[in-house]
Amino acid sequence: MTLPSWQDKGLGGMARTALWLLQEVGVGERFTKVALREAFPEAAQIDRRLRALRDYGWKIDTSRDDPTLTQQEQRFVAAGAEVWIPGQAKTPKHKASITAAQRAKILAADNYLCRGCGIGVGEVYEDGVTPAVLNVARRKVLLADGSMEYQPVTECKACGAGSGERVADVPKVVAQVNALAPMERQVLAQWIADDRRTLGPLEKVWGAYRNLPEASRKAVAELVAGEDG
Protein backbone atom coordinates (compact mmCIF):
# COMPACT_ATOMS: atom_id res chain seq x y z
CA MET A 1 0.00 0.00 0.00
CA THR A 2 1.43 3.35 -1.04
CA LEU A 3 1.59 5.90 1.76
CA PRO A 4 0.56 9.51 1.18
CA SER A 5 3.38 12.02 1.17
CA TRP A 6 4.30 13.70 4.43
CA GLN A 7 4.45 16.95 2.45
CA ASP A 8 0.73 16.80 1.62
CA LYS A 9 -0.61 19.88 3.38
CA GLY A 10 -4.12 18.58 3.03
CA LEU A 11 -3.36 16.21 5.91
CA GLY A 12 -3.37 17.16 9.56
CA GLY A 13 -0.19 18.02 11.44
CA MET A 14 -0.07 14.77 13.42
CA ALA A 15 -0.63 12.66 10.29
CA ARG A 16 2.12 14.50 8.42
CA THR A 17 4.49 14.08 11.39
CA ALA A 18 3.83 10.33 11.45
CA LEU A 19 4.51 10.06 7.72
CA TRP A 20 7.67 12.16 8.08
CA LEU A 21 8.98 9.71 10.66
CA LEU A 22 8.30 6.80 8.33
CA GLN A 23 9.50 8.37 5.10
CA GLU A 24 12.36 10.61 6.23
CA VAL A 25 13.65 9.23 9.54
CA GLY A 26 13.03 5.49 9.52
CA VAL A 27 12.33 3.05 12.34
CA GLY A 28 15.25 2.75 14.73
CA GLU A 29 16.87 5.99 13.61
CA ARG A 30 17.43 9.16 15.58
CA PHE A 31 16.38 12.69 14.70
CA THR A 32 16.63 16.12 16.28
CA LYS A 33 14.05 18.69 17.30
CA VAL A 34 15.73 21.10 14.91
CA ALA A 35 15.24 18.71 11.98
CA LEU A 36 11.58 18.28 12.90
CA ARG A 37 10.97 22.02 13.05
CA GLU A 38 12.83 22.60 9.80
CA ALA A 39 10.62 20.01 8.09
CA PHE A 40 7.50 21.85 9.28
CA PRO A 41 8.45 25.54 9.38
CA GLU A 42 4.82 26.63 9.09
CA ALA A 43 3.67 24.59 12.13
CA ALA A 44 4.02 26.47 15.42
CA GLN A 45 3.26 23.43 17.62
CA ILE A 46 4.83 20.56 15.71
CA ASP A 47 6.49 19.26 18.91
CA ARG A 48 3.03 18.76 20.39
CA ARG A 49 1.90 16.84 17.29
CA LEU A 50 4.89 14.54 17.71
CA ARG A 51 4.11 13.90 21.39
CA ALA A 52 0.46 13.22 20.52
CA LEU A 53 1.52 10.24 18.40
CA ARG A 54 2.45 8.38 21.60
CA ASP A 55 -1.25 8.24 22.45
CA TYR A 56 -1.78 6.19 19.29
CA GLY A 57 0.87 3.58 19.99
CA TRP A 58 3.87 5.30 18.39
CA LYS A 59 7.06 4.76 20.39
CA ILE A 60 9.43 7.71 20.29
CA ASP A 61 12.26 7.66 22.82
CA THR A 62 13.93 10.70 24.38
CA SER A 63 17.19 10.93 26.31
CA ARG A 64 15.25 9.90 29.44
CA ASP A 65 14.40 6.58 27.79
CA ASP A 66 17.65 6.05 25.87
CA PRO A 67 20.85 7.33 27.56
CA THR A 68 22.71 7.18 24.24
CA LEU A 69 20.63 10.13 22.99
CA THR A 70 21.46 13.77 23.66
CA GLN A 71 18.80 16.12 25.02
CA GLN A 72 18.17 17.42 21.51
CA GLU A 73 17.77 13.95 20.00
CA GLN A 74 14.91 11.47 19.87
CA ARG A 75 14.64 8.00 18.39
CA PHE A 76 11.77 6.66 16.29
CA VAL A 77 11.40 3.17 17.78
CA ALA A 78 8.10 1.86 16.42
CA ALA A 79 5.07 2.98 14.44
CA GLY A 80 1.55 2.81 15.84
CA ALA A 81 -1.88 3.53 14.41
CA GLU A 82 -2.07 4.77 10.81
CA VAL A 83 -3.32 8.19 11.86
CA TRP A 84 -3.42 9.49 8.27
CA ILE A 85 -6.33 7.13 7.54
CA PRO A 86 -9.78 8.58 8.39
CA GLY A 87 -11.10 7.10 11.62
CA GLN A 88 -7.69 6.01 12.91
CA ALA A 89 -6.99 9.27 14.74
CA LYS A 90 -9.99 9.33 17.03
CA THR A 91 -9.31 10.73 20.48
CA PRO A 92 -8.05 7.88 22.72
CA LYS A 93 -10.37 6.89 25.56
CA HIS A 94 -7.84 7.99 28.18
CA LYS A 95 -7.91 11.50 26.69
CA ALA A 96 -11.67 11.87 27.08
CA SER A 97 -12.82 14.55 29.54
CA ILE A 98 -13.42 13.60 33.18
CA THR A 99 -16.82 14.72 34.45
CA ALA A 100 -17.21 16.76 37.64
CA ALA A 101 -18.80 13.76 39.37
CA GLN A 102 -15.96 11.45 38.32
CA ARG A 103 -13.38 13.99 39.48
CA ALA A 104 -15.03 14.34 42.89
CA LYS A 105 -15.14 10.55 43.30
CA ILE A 106 -11.43 10.16 42.40
CA LEU A 107 -10.34 12.97 44.74
CA ALA A 108 -12.31 11.40 47.58
CA ALA A 109 -10.84 7.94 46.88
CA ASP A 110 -7.35 9.46 47.06
CA ASN A 111 -8.23 11.27 50.34
CA TYR A 112 -7.69 14.64 48.65
CA LEU A 113 -3.94 14.02 48.63
CA CYS A 114 -1.42 14.17 45.81
CA ARG A 115 -0.33 10.57 45.31
CA GLY A 116 3.11 11.82 44.31
CA CYS A 117 4.24 14.04 47.19
CA GLY A 118 1.36 13.65 49.65
CA ILE A 119 0.42 17.31 49.84
CA GLY A 120 -3.24 18.00 50.57
CA VAL A 121 -5.66 20.34 48.85
CA GLY A 122 -5.11 23.92 50.05
CA GLU A 123 -1.84 23.09 51.83
CA VAL A 124 1.19 25.27 51.15
CA TYR A 125 4.44 24.06 49.59
CA GLU A 126 7.79 24.39 51.38
CA ASP A 127 8.21 27.95 50.07
CA GLY A 128 5.46 28.92 52.53
CA VAL A 129 3.58 30.85 49.84
CA THR A 130 2.36 28.65 46.99
CA PRO A 131 -0.83 26.68 47.73
CA ALA A 132 -1.24 23.20 46.28
CA VAL A 133 -3.68 22.75 43.41
CA LEU A 134 -4.88 19.17 42.93
CA ASN A 135 -5.81 17.76 39.54
CA VAL A 136 -6.98 14.37 38.31
CA ALA A 137 -4.61 12.84 35.78
CA ARG A 138 -4.59 9.57 33.89
CA ARG A 139 -1.54 7.49 34.73
CA LYS A 140 -0.30 4.73 32.45
CA VAL A 141 -0.15 1.51 34.51
CA LEU A 142 1.65 -1.75 33.82
CA LEU A 143 -0.61 -4.44 35.28
CA ALA A 144 0.35 -7.79 36.81
CA ASP A 145 -0.65 -9.64 33.62
CA GLY A 146 1.70 -7.50 31.52
CA SER A 147 -1.03 -5.39 29.92
CA MET A 148 -1.20 -1.59 30.02
CA GLU A 149 -4.11 0.61 30.92
CA TYR A 150 -4.71 4.20 32.01
CA GLN A 151 -6.07 4.78 35.52
CA PRO A 152 -7.11 8.08 37.15
CA VAL A 153 -5.00 9.44 39.98
CA THR A 154 -4.86 12.62 42.05
CA GLU A 155 -1.70 14.70 41.70
CA CYS A 156 -0.71 18.27 42.42
CA LYS A 157 0.27 20.67 39.69
CA ALA A 158 3.97 20.41 40.62
CA CYS A 159 4.07 16.60 40.46
CA GLY A 160 2.04 16.59 37.26
CA ALA A 161 4.57 18.72 35.38
CA GLY A 162 6.48 16.50 32.96
CA SER A 163 4.81 13.30 34.12
CA GLY A 164 3.17 12.42 30.83
CA GLU A 165 5.45 9.48 30.12
CA ARG A 166 5.49 8.12 33.66
CA VAL A 167 4.43 4.48 34.04
CA ALA A 168 3.21 2.95 37.31
CA ASP A 169 4.73 -0.54 37.50
CA VAL A 170 2.43 -2.80 39.55
CA PRO A 171 4.55 -5.99 39.19
CA LYS A 172 7.60 -4.10 40.48
CA VAL A 173 5.72 -2.87 43.53
CA VAL A 174 4.38 -6.37 44.24
CA ALA A 175 7.91 -7.80 43.98
CA GLN A 176 9.18 -5.20 46.44
CA VAL A 177 6.37 -6.05 48.86
CA ASN A 178 7.15 -9.77 48.62
CA ALA A 179 10.81 -9.03 49.44
CA LEU A 180 9.94 -7.40 52.78
CA ALA A 181 10.49 -9.12 56.10
CA PRO A 182 7.30 -10.05 58.04
CA MET A 183 7.69 -7.14 60.47
CA GLU A 184 8.25 -4.70 57.61
CA ARG A 185 5.07 -5.96 55.92
CA GLN A 186 3.14 -5.32 59.13
CA VAL A 187 4.37 -1.73 59.21
CA LEU A 188 3.49 -1.33 55.52
CA ALA A 189 0.02 -2.76 56.13
CA GLN A 190 -0.57 -0.12 58.80
CA TRP A 191 0.61 2.66 56.50
CA ILE A 192 -1.76 1.36 53.81
CA ALA A 193 -4.66 1.22 56.28
CA ASP A 194 -3.94 4.80 57.42
CA ASP A 195 -3.09 5.92 53.87
CA ARG A 196 -0.23 7.77 55.50
CA ARG A 197 3.33 6.93 56.40
CA THR A 198 4.19 7.57 60.02
CA LEU A 199 7.78 8.69 60.45
CA GLY A 200 9.72 7.32 63.40
CA PRO A 201 12.09 9.45 65.53
CA LEU A 202 15.15 8.32 63.56
CA GLU A 203 13.61 9.27 60.20
CA LYS A 204 12.50 12.64 61.55
CA VAL A 205 16.01 13.40 62.81
CA TRP A 206 17.48 12.33 59.45
CA GLY A 207 15.09 14.66 57.60
CA ALA A 208 15.98 17.55 59.90
CA TYR A 209 19.69 16.84 59.49
CA ARG A 210 19.44 16.76 55.69
CA ASN A 211 17.89 20.24 55.71
CA LEU A 212 20.82 21.80 57.60
CA PRO A 213 23.45 23.91 55.80
CA GLU A 214 26.83 22.23 55.23
CA ALA A 215 28.62 23.80 58.22
CA SER A 216 25.83 22.74 60.58
CA ARG A 217 25.74 19.23 59.10
CA LYS A 218 29.45 18.89 59.84
CA ALA A 219 28.91 20.01 63.43
CA VAL A 220 26.14 17.45 63.95
CA ALA A 221 28.18 14.73 62.22
CA GLU A 222 31.13 15.40 64.52
CA LEU A 223 28.82 15.23 67.55
CA VAL A 224 27.37 11.88 66.46
CA ALA A 225 30.82 10.47 65.62
CA GLY A 226 32.17 11.64 68.98
CA GLU A 227 29.38 9.93 70.91
CA ASP A 228 29.91 6.69 68.98
CA GLY A 229 33.61 6.80 69.79
Side-chain angles (χ1 to χ4, degrees):
M1 179 179 177
T2 303
L3 296 177
S5 171
W6 69 271
Q7 295 177 316
D8 183 354
K9 295 187 178 181
L11 298 171
M14 185 172 66
R16 291 183 63 201
T17 304
L19 290 165
W20 178 78
L21 288 172
L22 288 170
Q23 296 169 356
E24 297 295 319
V25 178
V27 174
E29 300 299 325
R30 65 182 67 192
F31 62 95
T32 64
K33 295 178 182 178
V34 172
L36 175 66
R37 291 167 185 162
E38 287 179 347
F40 300 92
E42 74 287 355
Q45 297 183 326
I46 197 63
D47 290 355
R48 180 180 295 180
R49 303 292 176 263
L50 179 73
R51 290 194 297 271
L53 285 172
R54 295 188 174 100
D55 293 327
Y56 298 88
W58 290 68
K59 183 167 176 52
I60 303 161
D61 283 353
T62 66
S63 57
R64 293 192 301 271
D65 309 302
D66 183 346
T68 67
L69 299 173
T70 68
Q71 288 188 342
Q72 294 300 314
E73 291 180 323
Q74 298 185 61
R75 189 185 303 280
F76 173 30
V77 179
E82 298 174 327
V83 294
W84 53 88
I85 297 177
Q88 293 293 310
K90 293 180 180 179
T91 302
K93 290 183 179 180
H94 70 276
K95 288 291 185 178
S97 298
I98 296 174
T99 66
Q102 290 172 327
R103 184 176 185 276
K105 184 177 180 180
I106 295 162
L107 288 169
D110 286 338
N111 289 327
Y112 301 94
L113 298 173
C114 171
R115 308 315 291 186
C117 67
I119 197 168
V121 61
E123 293 183 2
V124 178
Y125 288 104
E126 291 182 356
D127 62 8
V129 177
T130 308
V133 176
L134 298 184
N135 299 311
V136 173
R138 287 185 172 90
R139 182 73 51 77
K140 193 173 185 180
V141 181
L142 174 62
L143 301 176
D145 62 3
S147 63
M148 287 279 194
E149 72 174 34
Y150 285 85
Q151 297 178 357
V153 65
T154 303
E155 62 184 15
C156 69
K157 188 175 181 180
C159 288
S163 67
E165 296 304 308
R166 189 184 304 166
V167 177
D169 190 334
V170 173
K172 182 178 180 180
V173 175
V174 171
Q176 290 172 330
V177 170
N178 289 335
L180 295 175
M183 186 171 292
E184 292 173 324
R185 292 186 67 149
Q186 290 179 10
V187 174
L188 176 63
Q190 188 60 55
W191 289 349
I192 291 173
D194 297 340
D195 197 25
R196 186 176 298 275
R197 176 189 175 192
T198 304
L199 297 180
L202 183 60
E203 291 166 302
K204 290 179 180 179
V205 172
W206 171 250
Y209 165 77
R210 289 284 293 173
N211 283 324
L212 293 174
E214 181 185 9
S216 295
R217 291 200 308 273
K218 287 183 177 179
V220 173
E222 290 172 359
L223 174 64
V224 173
E227 291 181 352
D228 288 343

